[in-house]
Amino acid sequence: MAGFASRGGEFLSAITEVLSFQAFPQSEWLTRKGTIGREMFFILKGQVDIIVNEQLMFVMKTLSVGDFVGEGALFQKQGKTNASVLARESCDTMVLTKDGFSQVLARYPDIADSIAQIGNERRRDTQAAIKALDRRLSTADLFGRPSNCDRSKSTIADVANAALMRRPSVDASRLARKPS
C-alpha cells in the first residue's frame, strides 16, 4: 500500500474500511492461473512468487512487502488470472474485493488509472514471459533431448513433463539467454 500513502489520510481511511486481513502459510496459493479473479492482495509481510507455468514452477517475479498482486481481478467482470501467485514464505496480506474496490472508486475514481497502469504493465510482462518460455521450450534443448529428436512431434507439455523429471524449477535468467 506504499503507493497509496501519498494519497492522504482520508483516502487511506476509506480504503482500510473495505480491506480484510488474510494470512497465507508458506507454499500456499493466493491465486491460480486461469481461475476467475475476485480480489487483490496487498503484501504486509513475506514474499510471493508470480508463476507463469506451474508445471515447471517458472517464477517470473517475486513481490514483497508494499507490493500488491491480483489487481486485474478488479477491472474485469469475470477475468481469468494470467499467472499463479504462491507464498514463497509465510505472508500477511490485506485483501481488497471487487465490491470494496467499487466503494473506493465511487469516492476516488482517479485511483483506477494508477492501478490499471500497473496492471497493464504486468500483463504485458507476463505475456512476454509466457511467450519467451514457450519459444525457449520449443526450440532449445534444455532438457536433454537428443539433437536428432523429431521436434515437430514434441509439445510444450512433453518438454514440461521431461523437465519435471530432471529439474525441480526453472530459473528465469536461464530463459533470457539465447540458445546456442
Side-chain angles (χ1 to χ4, degrees), residues 26-46:
Q26 181 178 4
S27 299
E28 185 171 321
W29 297 102
L30 281 70
T31 62
R32 302 295 290 268
K33 182 177 180 177
T35 60
I36 295 174
R38 293 179 168 73
E39 56 207 5
M40 75 181 280
F41 303 88
F42 295 92
I43 303 168
L44 302 176
K45 181 189 107 182

Side-chain angles (χ1 to χ4, degrees), residues 120-178:
N120 289 334
E121 290 170 10
R122 288 182 178 176
R123 202 168 5 273
R124 279 191 302 271
D125 291 347
T126 300
Q127 292 306 317
I130 290 169
K131 284 181 183 177
L133 178 62
D134 286 346
R135 195 170 41 251
R136 181 73 177 189
L137 290 175
S138 66
T139 61
D141 194 11
L142 287 176
F143 306 110
R145 290 184 298 172
S147 58
N148 63 354
C149 169
D150 182 357
R151 293 174 192 274
S152 65
K153 293 182 181 174
S154 295
T155 66
I156 299 250
D158 295 332
V159 176
N161 286 332
L164 288 174
M165 301 305 263
R166 296 175 190 234
R167 299 173 194 225
S169 66
V170 174
D171 180 3
S173 64
R174 293 196 60 218
L175 293 177
R177 292 183 290 197
K178 295 188 185 266

Side-chain angles (χ1 to χ4, degrees), residues 1-7 42 65-68:
M1 291 182 30
F4 298 136
S6 62
R7 304 283 309 194
F42 295 92
V65 175
D67 291 324
F68 58 86

